[in-house]
Structures are given as structure tokens and as C-alpha cells.
Amino acid sequence: MALSFEGRVVLVTGSGGGLGREYALAFAERGASVVVNDLGADIKGGGKSSAAADKVVEEIRAKGGKAVANYDSVEDGEKVIQSALDAFGRIVVMYLTPSLLSHPISDLIHRVHLRGAFFVTRAAWSHMKKQKFGRIIMTASAAGIYGNFGQANYSAAKLGMLGLSNTLAIEGRNYNIHCNTLAPVAGSRLTETVMTPELVASLKPEYVAPMVLWLCHEQCQENGALFEAGAGWIGKLRWERSQGCVVRQKNQPMTPEAVRDQWDKICDFTDATKPTSVQGQYNPLGQKLPPSTFVFSPTQCILYALGVG
Ligand code: NAI
């Protein structure tokens, strides 16, 4: 049966263009009420215009869909979420896609990508908890997963979003709130300056959108995962850990030489394990930190991350 989003309220941030626009159109086509958030920023994050979001809203409405525009920056998470609540009374799915590829002031990159994702999610969290349903997709980037020359600030912010997603996945699962992360690749104003026209044509945003819709659907039980998608291809990523070895001898001091001498073994991925939780981190030594060490509410995490708590 076709996947329907009838009755769902979907917020797609940065959906005045590129990937976000495609997602907004796809959600609307399947019955969702869509909040098209876009600041109308230029590629460096400067400027402001309502035109981008308005145009997408018009496109959706012209096809008989339901959509409203919101022009706030994702840095104003409360305002973005409030506009969804004002228009449609609730919020169930969020796809977080604002973009800035690089910026001389790295703070802006972090404010938009990482803290923007954080503030929008925080503002929606209690609503999602109350209704016991939510789907959140964070947009990461291969630059964050693997690193990319010249993109230090962007990479850091993008992988920060994965960390945020991983914890929200744990804190949300008892409320049927799922959070996953996607590193897309698609032709857009971001990438067309570095891709050939042929490549841009083969990497249409519409070849990523179906993956986003599936992850956001109530039938999809995936939570806390990381995917890459582009050109119609989709793959899942996970962590791998070598068996490692204990380099310390009983009642002996631990030395850097011992680390050096066991280096091949430490880095040998034969029989690697695939840890999936922070508790599992201590399993090789048969030790566990008490679970309470890891219990933070989202608010505490926020305050801690901002250095206020
Ligand atoms: P795009 O530049 O075509 O679209 C992004 C939209 O975000 C723009 O319309 C812009 O006005 C809006 N925006 C910028 N700052 C904002 C803010 N503070 N608040 C609200 N909206 C804001 O970019 P594209 O290619 O569609 O990228 C979407 C997301 O995917 C971004 O997060 C990007 O980093 C990520 N990504 C894209 C890749 C690609 O191949 N296109 C590769 C890896 C990641």
C-alpha cells in the first residue's frame, strides 16, 4: 500500500530550495500539511527573503496540497515550531536541512547547522512527547563523517548533528519519537559549483526524497541510524571496533612503548565488533559505568553543551 502522510504535520527547515524543497513537495503530495521554513539566505548564509519559502508554498498549493511558509532562522527554534503549531496545531515530523557550506565566521556554521537543529528540536520535543509520536531527520554530510579538505567548521557541525541525533533517538524511543541522520548527496546550488552538469543531473534531489519519506513514516521503525543516499542509492553506516588488546601488565606501570608494541593488534579489525551503545563501550574489560552516569534529560544536555549548567 502507498505510504500516506495524510493528517501529519511536517516541518522541513531550509525547504525554500535544494533538497528541502524536494522533501516538502514530496510530503505534501502524499497528504501532509507542510511548514516550509526558509530564511531565504544566500549560499554564505547572508541575506533574508521570503521569496524562496513563498514559491515552494505556492507550488504545493497549486497542486492542491497544504502548506504555510515560515521565514525564521532555525536559530529561532521556538518561533519556527510555533508557526507550525499556529497553522496546524501540531508537529510530527521534522527534516532539518538549512545549509551553508562554508563561512569565514565559523560560528555561523555552528549556529545554523548544529545549534539550529538543536533549538528547533528542543522546541518541538515536548509536543512530540505529549502526542507520543515524532520523526526527526538530521541532515549530516559525508564531509562530517569522513572529513573533507577545507571544511573543518562544516564537518564539525555536521557530525555534531549525528551525536545529537543518537541521543535523541535514545531519549525519544519510549515515546515513539525516532531520530535518524542522513548524509545526502544531490545537485543543488551548494554543489553545482563543484560538480559537472552531468553529475548534477544524475544526483537529483528527488532521488533522495523517498528515503526521507520512508524514515519519517509511522511504519518505519528505524531509530538512531545513519544513512548515506544519492542518485537513487541508499546505504547504512555503523561503527566497527577492533577486538583491541590490554597493553597493561598486572602490577606494572602502563607505558607508551607497550602501546607502540601492540599497535598492530589494537588496530586489527579481524573479528571486529559493532558496538551500538555507550554501555557497550566497557564490555571488553567486563566493566560498566553505572547507567545513571548516562542519564541526562535533553534540557540538561543543552545546558551542559552551552556551558550554563
Ligand atoms: P541549498 O542551499 O540548496 O538549500 C538550503 C536552504 O536552506 C536554502 O534555501 C537557504 O535559504 C536555507 N537556509 C540557510 N540558512 C537558513 C537558516 N538559518 N534558517 C532557515 N533556512 C536557512 O542546499 P542543499 O544542497 O539542498 O542542502 C540541504 C542540506 O543538505 C544542508 O544541510 C546541506 O549541508 C546538506 N548536504 C547537502 C549535500 C548536497 O550534496 N547537496 C551534501 C551533504 C549535505
Side-chain angles (χ1 to χ4, degrees):
M1 206 167 76
L3 298 174
S4 165
F5 285 87
E6 207 65 55
R8 297 296 189 201
V9 178
V10 179
L11 163 68
V12 186
T13 65
S15 54
L19 283 156
R21 171 184 166 274
E22 199 62 43
Y23 306 149
L25 292 172
F27 276 118
E29 202 177 297
R30 285 173 183 259
S33 301
V34 182
V35 180
V36 178
N37 157 268
D38 205 294
L39 181 66
D42 62 32
I43 204 159
K44 296 272 187 197
K48 201 171 177 353
S49 153
S50 57
D54 284 344
K55 196 157 170 273
V56 176
V57 168
E58 275 163 32
E59 272 183 84
I60 291 174
R61 288 184 181 161
K63 291 181 185 164
K66 299 176 280 294
V68 295
N70 169 267
Y71 320 115
D72 293 306
S73 169
V74 288
E75 296 164 83
D76 293 320
E78 293 283 349
K79 284 193 195 166
V80 175
I81 294 301
Q82 195 56 50
S83 75
L85 297 172
D86 290 346
F88 301 119
R90 62 197 185 288
I91 171 86
V92 296
V93 173
M94 297 194 302
Y95 189 88
L96 303 167
T97 61
S99 86
L100 303 172
L101 205 48
S102 63
H103 194 277
I105 310 163
S106 66
D107 182 48
L108 185 61
I109 290 277
H110 285 259
R111 272 178 15 223
V112 170
H113 288 285
L114 185 53
R115 295 184 64 187
F118 193 76
F119 287 128
V120 173
T121 312
R122 183 175 64 170
W125 196 252
S126 60
H127 303 283
M128 289 185 162
K129 259 172 107 170
K130 227 178 288 158
Q131 70 205 4
K132 289 202 173 359
F133 182 84
R135 294 287 184 268
I136 303 167
I137 311 291
M138 301 281 178
T139 314
S141 165
I145 300 169
Y146 307 108
N148 198 23
F149 196 92
Q151 288 194 289
N153 52 6
Y154 179 75
S155 308
K158 283 303 198 187
L159 213 60
M161 290 176 76
L162 174 64
L164 173 61
S165 175
N166 288 342
T167 290
L168 292 181
I170 292 168
E171 297 193 350
R173 66 185 164 210
N174 287 343
Y175 301 93
N176 196 12
I177 303 172
H178 296 169
C179 190
N180 290 288
T181 305
L182 178 67
V185 57
S188 74
R189 67 176 191 173
L190 270 196
T191 47
E192 65 192 8
T193 50
V194 290
M195 288 179 183
T196 62
E198 295 75 32
L199 197 54
V200 169
S202 67
L203 291 171
K204 289 192 173 69
E206 66 202 61
Y207 301 149
V208 179
M211 168 62 172
V212 171
L213 265 68
W214 167 239
L215 282 177
C216 290
H217 199 269
E218 63 204 26
Q219 284 176 22
C220 179
Q221 291 307 305
E222 194 69 49
N223 188 23
L226 170 63
F227 298 90
E228 287 182 84
W233 170 88
I234 301 164
K236 184 173 179 177
L237 283 86
R238 66 182 174 193
W239 290 102
E240 205 178 35
R241 183 174 58 208
S242 70
Q243 281 290 324
C245 71
V246 179
V247 300
R248 183 169 65 85
Q249 302 298 318
K250 205 172 175 192
N251 300 325
Q252 297 288 319
M254 184 171 163
T255 64
E257 289 78 13
V259 179
R260 175 197 62 198
D261 295 344
Q262 295 295 337
W263 195 243
D264 286 348
K265 210 162 172 200
I266 291 167
C267 300
D268 181 1
F269 277 95
T270 310
D271 298 327
T273 58
K274 296 167 182 72
T276 54
S277 74
V278 71
Q279 281 83 1
Q281 186 178 355
Y282 299 91
N283 279 343
L285 299 182
Q287 293 171 3
K288 285 189 179 185
L289 290 185
S292 60
T293 312
F294 304 110
V295 178
F296 291 102
S297 76
T299 319
Q300 282 169 324
C301 286
I302 293 158
L303 295 176
Y304 182 70
L306 296 178
V308 222

